[in-house]
Amino acid sequence: MWDEDKFFFNRHDSVSDSVSSSAAGALGGLAAIPLALVLSAVGILIMRIDILNAASAGFIPLFLTRNMGLDSKTCLIIYGVTVIAMLILEHCFTIAKILGSIIGCLVVAFLCYELSDVTPMNTRLTITGVGTVITILLNIRFWKR
C-alpha cells in the first residue's frame, strides 16, 4: 500500500525551484515600486487640487510657446516658474484661487479632448465631459475645506 519510491520521486525539493521563486518575488516587488510611486503621486494631486491646478496652469505658457522652437530646458524652466508663481498666488489671493480653479478645469478639458486624434468624436466629447466634471467636483471639495 505504501509506495516509498513513488513518494520520494515526486518531491519538489530542488534548489532551482526555490531560487526561481525568490527571483520572481524580487522582480514582482521591483515592478510594484514604480506603480506605487505613481499611485501615491496621483493620490497627492487629488487630495491637494491646488497643486493640480497650478500644474495645469503651468501648461498654458507651454501651449502658447510650443511653435517657437524652444529647447526642453527652457520649457521646463517656464513650466516650473509658472507653477511656483501660481501656487504662491493661489495661497495669497482668493481671486487667484478662483482663476486657478477655472484654468485647471479648462486645461483638463483641453487635454482630455486632445487625448487621441483617432478616437471617434462622441468618445472624445464623453472623455472631455467626464474629466471636466471630475475636476469641477474636486475643486468644489477643495473650496468647501
Side-chain angles (χ1 to χ4, degrees), residues 1 6 9 20 24 29 36 47 54 58-59 66 76 78 92 102 108 112 118 125 127-128 131 133 139:
M1 296 223 221
K6 190 174 183 181
F9 181 73
S20 64
M47 296 305 293
F59 285 120
R66 69 175 179 240
L76 279 174
I78 291 171
C92 291
I102 293 170
V108 166
C112 287
V118 296
L125 293 177
I127 291 170
T128 303
V133 167
N139 276 306

Side-chain angles (χ1 to χ4, degrees), residues 20-109:
S20 64
S21 63
S22 296
L27 288 176
L30 289 176
I33 290 173
L35 179 66
L37 289 174
V38 167
L39 289 177
S40 64
V42 167
I44 289 171
L45 289 177
I46 288 174
M47 296 305 293
R48 295 291 311 265
I49 195 70
D50 55 336
I51 297 173
L52 186 62
N53 287 338
S56 298
F59 285 120
I60 291 175
L62 296 180
F63 292 152
L64 296 174
T65 60
R66 69 175 179 240
N67 293 329
M68 292 178 61
L70 299 173
D71 60 340
S72 61
K73 188 176 181 182
T74 306
C75 290
L76 279 174
I77 291 171
I78 291 171
Y79 179 77
V81 167
T82 307
V83 169
I84 291 171
M86 188 66 188
L87 274 174
I88 292 170
L89 289 173
E90 276 184 344
H91 289 283
C92 291
F93 303 107
T94 305
I95 191 71
K97 193 181 288 188
I98 294 169
L99 289 175
S101 297
I102 293 170
I103 289 171
C105 290
L106 292 175
V107 168
V108 166

